[in-house]
Amino acid sequence: MTIEQSLMRLRAADPAPQRAGLQGPLAEQIEAAGVNFAAVGGPVQDRWVQALGELNQCVRPLAGGPAVLHEGGTYDGCWLESTGTISAEVLSRFAPGVAEDTFTLFAHHQRDDGLLPYKVSPEGPAYRQIQIVTPFARSVWRHYRLHHGAEPSAARGWLATMYAAMSRNDAWLARHRDTRGSGAVEAFCTYDTGHDLSPRHWFTPEHCHEGEASRYDPESATIPYLAPDLTANVTCQRTYLGRIATELGAEDAPWLRAAQASTAALFEHCFDAAEGTFFDRDATGALVRVKSDVLMRVLACEIGDGDFFTAALRRYLMNTTAFLSHYGFTSVAMDDPRFNGDHTRNTWAGPVNFLTQIRAPHAFDHHGHGAELALATRPVLAALLRADRFPQCLDPWSGEAGYTSSYSPALLWLLDAVERNFGILPTPAGRIWFTSMAPTRLGGGSAATATAYARTVAGVHYELGSDDAASRSFRAGSPHLSFPRDGGWRPTYAACPSPSSACPRAR
């Protein structure tokens, strides 16, 4: 009866925008997506509604344009490394118009020489560093496939605009960020990678020389770095630019050749086979042997095959002496002597950072390791449900919320985690995930008895009810799927525009 109770609560609830007090485009687009959520017991329902409400505060006009996503917390504006890529990619499932305007913001403010701004704030675009982590082209492509895959002609003009901007930025990086002729992408400063206060960047300048992203300080003895995360970013970026080129009727071969060359440079200059991970190579030719979440970033850029990813999981990501703390993936390995878990400030020296958490799923999804991700996610979810805010950082030892609040990566991580573990998640491949991991076994008073989730996909409304034993879904009001929890089931169903027996069956 717990599933029935959760479904009854869901069906009786006001629409999510009304419950969360949303206004403007976020309210309109979430209502159009038919997204709603209810739970019996525990704090998850209230925190989900709170996350939507605080997300609304992060969606507002910027630089005289339409409403876009802001980073939130102490960060006033939109950053390419996060807000404009991975966060907008997640937001795309809930508010596609806001996500698309956020992507477009960076193309609109591209510099005449091809450089994309690393951020756009109320003061305007900024170009002091590059600050690239999640590949921009991947986020743009996944948004396009999710919302325009069935009718691509309607959005090809927008896609062509983004393709041109990203191609010009790739050319800028090739001109200015390979001064050593290695084929790798170079970091000129700490902020190029967004790794504030990380021991990875000890003795490197915080920003590029004289505030210009094409210059580095000639007095520094260690830079330019051959940077694995920047190089992997460009590798993945070029792969997805190849896919976009094909969609637009152009040749993908030049992009694929360039991606292969970047991959070769990454492994030649930045991979240590004995350690099984990636390090920067400084200006003296030495490796900077700090074990940081650079590894997660590289893997999220789809580098390596399944065996390579499994080896990284065993040695590092799922290793509780390395990166897997009880409350998420740390920003520096816990067995590195420079690890510092201080979560009370903006630092990448050790604490769990929600940007790492929201970037991680793509790495696990790409290689089919959803079970490991679910294991790592559960305590983080419990911690965030009982926290007093949505922070940037968590204490790896206690799960206590740390630096800042109303931080959009944390807000979106919660919305993503609900869909990913006990909700309905549409994918860019045109399929829908239903997952049976209801939060019934969370610790610290965070557990619910049952949950229910709703979403409209391709014009059809779906509902999913889950408890500790099983899940049941409904399609256009009729029974659809029934499957056990049993360690976590994820039936994947083809999105179909009408309730017809001709629709593909689940797999």
Side-chain angles (χ1 to χ4, degrees):
M1 289 299 294
T2 52
I3 288 179
E4 293 299 328
Q5 291 169 357
S6 65
L7 287 167
M8 288 173 59
R9 181 169 294 188
L10 175 74
R11 291 162 181 167
D14 290 330
Q18 184 176 334
R19 295 163 66 196
L22 305 186
Q23 297 178 343
L26 187 66
E28 296 164 5
Q29 291 166 39
I30 287 179
E31 184 170 6
V35 170
N36 215 341
F37 176 68
V40 178
V44 61
Q45 176 179 305
D46 289 344
R47 286 291 273 170
W48 185 84
V49 172
Q50 182 184 353
L52 280 182
E54 293 189 26
L55 184 63
N56 194 68
Q57 300 169 26
C58 297
V59 175
R60 55 187 188 275
L62 185 61
V68 296
L69 181 65
H70 289 239
E71 189 79 356
T74 58
Y75 308 100
D76 192 9
C78 184
W79 269 253
L80 182 61
E81 69 154 338
S82 50
T83 342
T85 49
I86 185 57
S87 293
E89 184 178 321
V90 173
L91 179 65
S92 176
R93 302 202 307 265
F94 301 91
V98 175
E100 190 161 306
D101 286 335
T102 305
F103 294 136
T104 307
L105 178 72
F106 289 90
H108 177 73
H109 289 286
Q110 187 169 37
R111 209 163 68 175
D112 289 343
D113 64 355
L115 178 64
L116 292 171
Y118 79 89
K119 74 170 181 178
V120 182
S121 72
E123 289 72 41
Y127 308 93
R128 190 175 63 175
Q129 62 254 9
I130 56 174
Q131 204 158 337
I132 53 176
V133 182
T134 298
F136 193 25
R138 189 197 85 193
S139 296
V140 166
W141 175 249
R142 287 171 64 83
H143 166 79
Y144 172 82
R145 290 292 299 161
L146 182 63
H147 296 289
H148 305 296
E151 298 180 1
S153 59
R156 280 211 179 105
W158 175 79
L159 188 65
T161 297
M162 299 304 298
Y163 176 75
M166 294 184 292
S167 299
R168 293 178 63 222
N169 189 69
D170 180 86
W172 187 96
L173 290 169
R175 285 196 307 272
H176 297 288
R177 289 306 185 99
D178 187 16
T179 64
R180 293 156 65 178
S182 66
V185 181
E186 295 168 348
F188 287 179
C189 63
T190 297
Y191 295 157
D192 272 344
T193 68
H195 263 160
D196 303 37
L197 301 183
S198 171
R200 170 192 185 186
H201 288 295
W202 282 357
F203 303 105
T204 66
E206 288 185 340
H207 52 77
C208 294
H209 191 46
E210 298 181 340
E212 168 51 48
S214 63
R215 302 187 64 191
Y216 64 88
D217 189 344
E219 293 185 2
S220 173
T222 58
I223 59 171
Y225 278 2
L226 306 183
D229 46 350
L230 303 187
T231 305
N233 177 287
V234 167
T235 296
C236 190
Q237 181 85 359
R238 289 170 169 175
T239 300
Y240 277 86
L241 283 170
R243 297 182 187 183
I244 295 172
T246 299
E247 180 73 10
L248 296 174
E251 289 290 327
D252 66 350
W255 288 118
L256 299 183
R257 285 195 298 269
Q260 289 169 358
S262 294
T263 302
L266 171 67
F267 279 92
E268 178 183 354
H269 298 292
C270 300
F271 184 65
D272 186 315
E275 295 286 349
T277 192
F278 299 88
F279 300 109
D280 299 293
R281 191 173 293 276
D282 70 17
T284 72
L287 291 176
V288 182
R289 296 183 178 278
V290 175
K291 295 177 182 176
S292 72
D293 77 324
V294 159
L295 175 61
M296 181 75 83
R297 294 177 172 195
V298 170
L299 294 171
C301 287
E302 304 178 7
I303 299 298
D305 59 15
D307 290 341
F308 186 85
F309 186 79
T310 299
L313 278 187
R314 289 174 174 165
R315 188 166 183 177
Y316 289 112
L317 301 185
M318 302 301 291
N319 183 342
T320 57
T321 65
F323 289 101
L324 184 61
S325 80
H326 187 58
Y327 292 102
F329 300 109
T330 58
S331 47
V332 167
M334 291 174 283
D335 57 359
D336 190 297
R338 290 147 295 194
F339 171 83
N340 182 336
D342 182 3
H343 64 299
T344 63
R345 55 185 177 163
N346 170 28
T347 172
W348 290 80
V352 171
N353 212 299
F354 267 104
L355 269 177
T356 299
Q357 307 312 117
I358 199 173
R359 291 167 179 151
H362 188 80
F364 286 79
D365 290 346
H366 184 69
H367 291 291
H369 285 270
E372 290 89 343
L373 180 65
L375 174 67
T377 295
R378 191 184 300 181
V380 182
L381 179 60
L384 194 57
L385 292 181
R386 63 175 181 264
D388 62 352
R389 57 191 178 277
F390 289 92
Q392 175 181 328
C393 299
L394 293 178
D395 185 330
W397 314 120
S398 69
E400 179 183 64
Y403 183 70
T404 204
S405 59
S406 297
Y407 185 57
S408 65
L411 299 166
L412 288 161
W413 182 88
L414 178 64
L415 299 183
D416 177 73
V418 167
E419 285 205 337
R420 185 174 294 277
N421 290 280
F422 42 95
I424 301 166
L425 191 156
T427 74
R431 305 191 73 84
I432 313 169
W433 291 353
F434 302 84
T435 312
S436 66
M437 295 291 288
T440 55
R441 305 182 189 185
L442 301 183
S446 297
T449 304
T451 60
Y453 197 85
R455 176 181 268 286
T456 299
V457 183
V460 179
H461 193 64
Y462 296 88
E463 298 168 322
L464 176 70
S466 302
D467 62 14
D468 196 53
S471 293
R472 292 167 53 200
S473 69
F474 295 80
R475 186 172 183 273
S478 299
H480 175 225
L481 303 173
S482 181
F483 50 99
R485 179 189 181 103
D486 195 23
W489 275 52
R490 178 174 284 165
T492 304
Y493 200 84
C496 191
S498 62
S500 165
S501 58
C503 288
R505 308 300 278 172
R507 63 178 176 86

